[in-house]
Amino acid sequence: MDFKKHIASKIKAEGLSEQEIYELLAVPPDTAMGDFALPCFRLAKAWRKAPARIAEELAAAYPCDEIVCAANALNGYVNFKIDRAFWARQTLGRILAERERYGASEEGKGKTVCIDYSSVNIAKPFHIGHLSTTVLGSALYKLHKFLGYTPVGINHLGDYGTQFGKLICAYLRWGSKELLEQGGLRALNELYVRFHAEAEQDESLNDDARAYFKKIEDGDPQAVELFEMFNALTLKEVGRIYELLDVHFDSWAGESFYNDKMQPVIDELSAKGLLVESEGAKVVDLSAYDMPPCIILRSDGASLYATRDIAAAVYRKNTYDFYKCLYVVAYQQNLHFKQVFKVLELMGKDWAKDLVHVAYGMVSLEDGAMSTRKGKVVYLEDVIAKCIEKSLAIITEKNPSLENKEEIAKTVGVGAVIFGALYNNKIKDITFSYDKVLNFEGETSCYVQYTCARANSVLEKGGAAGELSVPQELAVQEFELVKKLAEFPEVLQSALEKYEPCFIARYLVDLAQLYNKFYFDCSILNAEPSVRAFRLSLTECVLLTLKNGLGILGIGVPAKM
Ligand code: ARG
């Protein structure tokens, strides 16, 4: 329920509309003062009175009811207190009725949102640098779905470019089917690394590579077959990781998908007088917008990454008629997306305003970053495997008799990797630390999962709570929990607006901390019957909300830990 709306509807303050009052109502820093506060400073001039006087008059005139139990003036503010029992009845009643749908909404109904995420490169390692785009994109996908939107997950595969010529060249010289069958993507990457090392000695390798790339483009059967083998190998391996992380896509249309879709776009650019020659290349001049030119065709006639993105945006608009199209891509590509969006705008696409670059920072391990070219790569699969292994060790130590340990360790380990990548504002660079993401007392998913297991066990011992009954007086710990629970839908809302799943992650840690405080301070199972029933309901609501939140982030919840 919207308490601000209720309060605003009952205040008569000449000079301020109900809407203005609604917008002025804020949450005071200290709950002890009140739950909502109306600052009266803006009225001082019109009323020719001191704000403190105005606050007193408004407070005295306010009609309290079963929802608002007090209105008090303090230092020019009117502080409103919501009836605790009412708040609890409302909140818990709603959660117990909506359950797995608590926090969900229909606000996105009829709106399609394309989300371009993960977008791995064929034949390149799936390394820790891909973690953020993959889990951020997937969380945004699930969040949009939960709020009623129709998300379309797109893996814009990097399956086009001269590197495939290099790979074929390297494969034919030093590789074999057996090598790739055994070594997979890693063996492929080693070939790539070797190519660069050898090409430093022998320039002619680069000419060879160019020739092979041309062969792929011309549809030469051998070249295409090899390229498709690299493709299949990559998709098989990344598919394994996506399955572990519970990440899905609706479209795998990669860069090469746009091979035959660029010409119409190039023609349109040319017809609109946007293409200019520059040193043999065809570019869109963006100097009026303080940007370097966007190169559309190289001097040898080849298209570029940007050309493909422009064609892809047009294709997506035509195919999905999106309400928004998000690109979850590292901030290193800020300029690229600014250029692409600007070119589309100059082409007169009014929907260019609906394209959003959701930029995020870098992830590195504690021992430093990595580089694909030189072969120092941290494979995401290794990071996940190590987290699962460490989880198993911790769980075994904490709870040796636990059944299904392997399964649980997987849920905990995978959750730790996801949560570790989602806990900070996305634009921040992060250093991934195993100890940090697996700290059971820290700001981690295992802490939240552990809290769920605790709540589960309370409910198991306590039995069904029965019909919701709320005592007239609430303990502070109980009320803090109720208030936090009530915030969940708003948290989802702002996470969506700002494209920040970290709001959800932080909220879950806060809620888990409040529950644990409540758990230690208030006895649940030994409380007198009516209080006991209420506390069991509260426990159930916390569990439902934690599960819903973790689910959106793509993290599972073991029943026991
Ligand atoms: N494959 C690219 C890379 O690894 C990311 C592609 C992002 N999506 C896009 N539409 N440009 O850098």
Side-chain angles (χ1 to χ4, degrees):
M1 134 155 228
D2 192 344
F3 292 123
K4 286 206 274 186
K5 204 163 169 186
H6 176 81
I7 296 170
S9 75
K10 300 209 160 189
I11 299 176
K12 302 276 164 288
E14 214 172 302
L16 284 180
S17 70
E18 190 175 321
Q19 184 58 29
E20 284 170 314
I21 295 175
Y22 179 83
E23 280 159 20
L24 277 175
L25 281 167
V27 177
D30 178 4
T31 328
M33 296 203 287
D35 302 306
F36 296 96
L38 180 72
C40 299
F41 308 96
R42 254 177 64 183
L43 287 168
K45 215 167 156 200
W47 288 34
R48 295 160 171 260
K49 273 183 199 163
R53 264 303 291 286
I54 300 174
E56 278 161 24
E57 286 177 22
L58 288 178
Y62 187 85
C64 288
D65 52 19
E66 84 276 9
I67 301 174
V68 177
C69 61
N72 297 309
L74 185 71
N75 303 332
Y77 287 86
V78 190
N79 291 317
F80 300 93
K81 186 175 173 188
I82 306 295
D83 184 82
R84 270 56 185 135
F86 179 86
W87 204 336
R89 255 192 316 275
Q90 280 279 318
T91 307
L92 304 200
R94 176 171 170 196
I95 300 173
L96 292 172
E98 298 179 0
R99 311 190 70 82
E100 285 71 27
R101 298 278 303 153
Y102 176 55
S105 88
E106 293 289 309
E107 64 156 73
K109 209 167 170 187
K111 291 180 182 148
T112 298
V113 175
C114 291
I115 312 178
D116 176 327
Y117 59 104
S118 200
S119 298
V120 288
N121 299 321
I122 297 299
K124 292 269 185 72
F126 196 164
H127 57 74
I128 181 126
H130 296 114
L131 173 61
S132 299
T133 171
T134 306
V135 299
L136 263 172
S138 174
L140 289 174
Y141 185 97
K142 291 179 166 130
L143 177 59
H144 276 86
K145 201 164 186 164
F146 204 57
L147 297 188
Y149 294 84
T150 306
V152 179
I154 303 175
N155 201 323
H156 187 78
L157 296 172
D159 57 2
Y160 184 87
T162 45
Q163 75 268 26
F164 296 107
K166 295 178 183 171
L167 266 176
I168 292 180
C169 175
Y171 174 82
L172 291 176
R173 268 163 214 259
W174 312 300
S176 67
K177 263 211 162 76
E178 297 71 51
L179 182 89
L180 293 194
E181 263 158 28
Q182 279 166 21
L185 216 42
R186 294 175 203 230
L188 207 51
N189 186 49
E190 274 160 28
L191 284 176
Y192 190 65
V193 172
R194 178 154 176 198
F195 178 89
H196 283 279
E198 305 232 0
E200 270 177 31
Q201 313 301 321
D202 178 1
E203 264 292 310
S204 74
L205 282 177
N206 283 315
D207 300 330
D208 254 23
R210 261 189 291 278
Y212 278 119
F213 177 56
K214 178 108 188 19
K215 279 191 175 177
I216 305 180
E217 287 206 291
D218 296 343
D220 172 86
Q222 188 204 17
V224 170
E225 193 193 317
L226 286 175
F227 172 69
E228 276 170 2
M229 180 174 87
F230 302 154
N231 217 329
L233 186 94
T234 311
L235 292 186
K236 191 172 135 215
E237 295 210 8
V238 299
R240 225 165 43 216
I241 299 177
Y242 290 145
E243 202 179 301
L244 259 180
L245 296 174
D246 189 30
V247 168
H248 305 273
F249 300 92
D250 304 297
S251 159
W252 295 81
E255 292 189 42
S256 70
F257 178 76
Y258 300 98
N259 278 347
D260 61 353
K261 297 176 182 61
M262 284 177 287
Q263 198 52 50
V265 173
I266 295 167
D267 293 343
E268 187 178 340
L269 280 166
S270 163
K272 291 187 169 153
L274 291 164
L275 273 192
V276 295
E277 289 263 340
S278 165
E279 295 165 35
K282 293 223 174 9
V283 310
V284 178
D285 177 27
L286 297 175
S287 56
Y289 310 96
D290 273 337
M291 283 186 257
C294 183
I295 308 174
I296 303 294
L297 290 173
R298 275 201 322 233
S299 54
D300 63 2
S303 61
L304 288 101
Y305 181 51
T307 325
R308 290 162 193 281
D309 257 327
I310 295 167
V314 171
Y315 174 83
R316 289 174 192 174
K317 185 64 193 177
N318 291 338
T319 308
Y320 304 109
D321 191 22
F322 57 71
Y323 161 75
K324 283 218 160 97
C325 177
L326 316 183
Y327 298 83
V328 187
V329 184
Y331 64 60
Q332 278 87 346
Q333 295 192 29
N334 277 356
L335 176 62
H336 165 75
F337 285 107
K338 267 175 76 181
Q339 290 178 308
V340 166
F341 297 173
K342 184 52 92 182
V343 170
L344 286 158
E345 185 192 315
L346 293 174
M347 287 170 83
K349 311 291 180 198
D350 56 356
W351 46 264
K353 63 176 189 339
D354 305 324
L355 306 170
V356 186
H357 177 203
V358 179
Y360 61 83
M362 285 199 325
V363 183
S364 54
L365 282 185
E366 284 169 303
D367 56 5
M370 27 81 235
S371 127
T372 320
R373 280 254 179 126
K374 301 218 174 68
K376 262 192 280 159
V377 174
V378 181
Y379 286 87
L380 185 53
E381 198 168 18
D382 293 348
V383 174
I384 299 174
K386 197 158 165 186
C387 266
I388 295 177
E389 192 187 302
K390 282 179 179 268
S391 304
L392 184 61
I394 298 173
I395 293 169
T396 309
E397 193 196 311
K398 279 190 185 280
N399 192 350
S401 61
L402 189 66
E403 276 173 49
N404 258 335
K405 278 204 262 309
E406 269 78 20
E407 204 43 47
I408 294 170
K410 196 162 131 189
T411 311
V412 172
V414 168
V417 177
I418 299 177
F419 205 85
L422 291 181
Y423 194 69
N424 291 295
N425 283 64
K426 61 185 184 297
I427 201 67
K428 282 203 182 142
D429 290 339
I430 52 178
T431 308
F432 188 91
S433 144
Y434 291 102
D435 293 336
K436 219 162 103 192
V437 302
L438 283 171
N439 179 352
F440 276 62
E441 268 97 56
E443 296 167 358
T444 57
S445 53
C446 41
Y447 175 74
V448 180
Q449 286 167 325
Y450 194 74
T451 308
C452 290
R454 168 170 284 158
N456 244 327
S457 122
V458 168
L459 292 172
E460 220 167 69
K461 288 185 198 136
E467 198 155 312
L468 176 65
S469 81
V470 177
Q472 197 41 49
E473 294 295 326
L474 262 61
V476 189
Q477 294 89 334
E478 293 169 328
F479 177 62
E480 289 294 326
L481 262 182
V482 166
K483 212 165 150 173
K484 200 70 191 168
L485 284 168
E487 273 173 29
F488 186 57
E490 289 162 42
V491 170
L492 297 186
Q493 195 59 50
S494 40
L496 183 113
E497 269 164 31
K498 298 270 188 322
Y499 311 113
E500 282 288 15
C502 75
F503 293 175
I504 304 172
R506 295 213 195 112
Y507 169 86
L508 295 174
V509 168
D510 290 347
L511 180 60
Q513 283 172 347
L514 287 175
Y515 181 74
N516 288 318
K517 180 153 179 41
F518 158 78
Y519 176 88
F520 286 113
D521 290 354
C522 312
S523 85
I524 303 174
L525 298 175
N526 298 323
E528 57 133 316
S530 71
V531 175
R532 181 179 190 273
F534 171 67
R535 291 182 176 169
L536 283 173
S537 296
L538 200 49
T539 298
E540 190 175 357
C541 289
V542 168
L543 181 59
L544 284 165
T545 308
L546 290 178
K547 273 190 176 170
N548 289 358
L550 285 174
I552 292 171
L553 302 183
I555 300 173
V557 177
K560 287 199 167 71
M561 259 169 90

